[in-house]
Amino acid sequence: MKSDLIVGEVLKPQGIRGELKIKPFTDSEATFKDFTRVFIDGAEYKILSCRTGGGAVYLGLRGVPDRNAAELLRGKQLTVPRSDAPALPEGRYYVADLEGCEVRTEKGELCGTLKTVLKSATDIYVVVKDGKEILFPAAAGVVRTVDLEARLVTVDEKRYRETAVL
């Protein structure tokens, strides 16, 4: 498992005092209120202020005093150490842990390797097989089991074939 988790991306500076508008990669923007620090390009930044609204997170970071400093961070990803991340409830997984898992049917047929998860009302799994991307919803009845130790996601063959977009 990866030791750092990607939790968001800097969209743009917000205002003139160095605040950053963040696109969160978490289930809830409120998760950011539990963080005391984030890392950008390996540099640690202490969170001085955090507010949410409209699906975005707005952070004030120590070391980012003005709009010019904030502009330099545009497009960069924010990470947190796994130890700083909240524990997940049963049946929920960090995207970083799912990436790279094999996706197979209950009969063992290889569907591909999970590349990433797209955030939506129902998460969309992006699988790569033979250089082609296949998308399918991680809806109830499609994903049967997730075994992170074995790096394996098992899907219901019938439901997978019905919902997969090639």
Side-chain angles (χ1 to χ4, degrees), residues 38-133:
V38 293
F39 290 80
I40 303 173
D41 284 345
E44 181 177 351
Y45 292 89
K46 182 178 182 199
I47 297 176
L48 300 175
S49 64
C50 177
R51 61 187 178 90
T52 62
V57 176
Y58 301 90
L59 294 180
L61 303 177
R62 176 171 283 143
V64 186
D66 57 31
R67 186 175 185 86
N68 292 334
E71 186 64 49
L72 296 173
L73 301 176
R74 184 188 291 260
K76 307 248 182 203
Q77 292 186 330
L78 284 75
T79 62
V80 297
R82 182 179 291 274
S83 59
D84 289 359
L88 295 175
E90 180 78 25
R92 302 292 295 173
Y93 308 95
Y94 287 111
V95 172
D97 296 337
L98 293 171
E99 291 173 343
C101 285
E102 280 191 348
V103 178
R104 293 187 175 269
T105 66
E106 292 168 309
K107 296 178 183 175
E109 179 187 344
L110 180 65
C111 300
T113 302
L114 197 126
K115 179 180 174 183
T116 193
V117 178
L118 303 176
K119 189 175 175 183
S120 182
T122 299
D123 288 344
I124 306 295
Y125 284 10
V126 180
V127 175
V128 176
K129 183 177 182 186
D130 300 328
K132 292 184 178 180
E133 286 190 351

Side-chain angles (χ1 to χ4, degrees), residues 3 5 18 22 25 27 35 46 49 57 66 108 113 115 145 157:
S3 60
L5 301 172
I22 308 296
F25 295 158
D27 285 344
F35 299 143
K46 182 178 182 199
S49 64
V57 176
D66 57 31
T113 302
K115 179 180 174 183
T145 61
E157 183 176 7

Side-chain angles (χ1 to χ4, degrees), residues 17 20 25 32 34 36 55 68 72 76 82 86 98 102 143 145 147 156 159:
R17 293 196 172 111
L20 301 169
F25 295 158
F32 275 79
D34 295 330
T36 58
N68 292 334
L72 296 173
K76 307 248 182 203
R82 182 179 291 274
L98 293 171
E102 280 191 348
V143 176
T145 61
D147 185 346
D156 179 275
R159 295 281 291 144

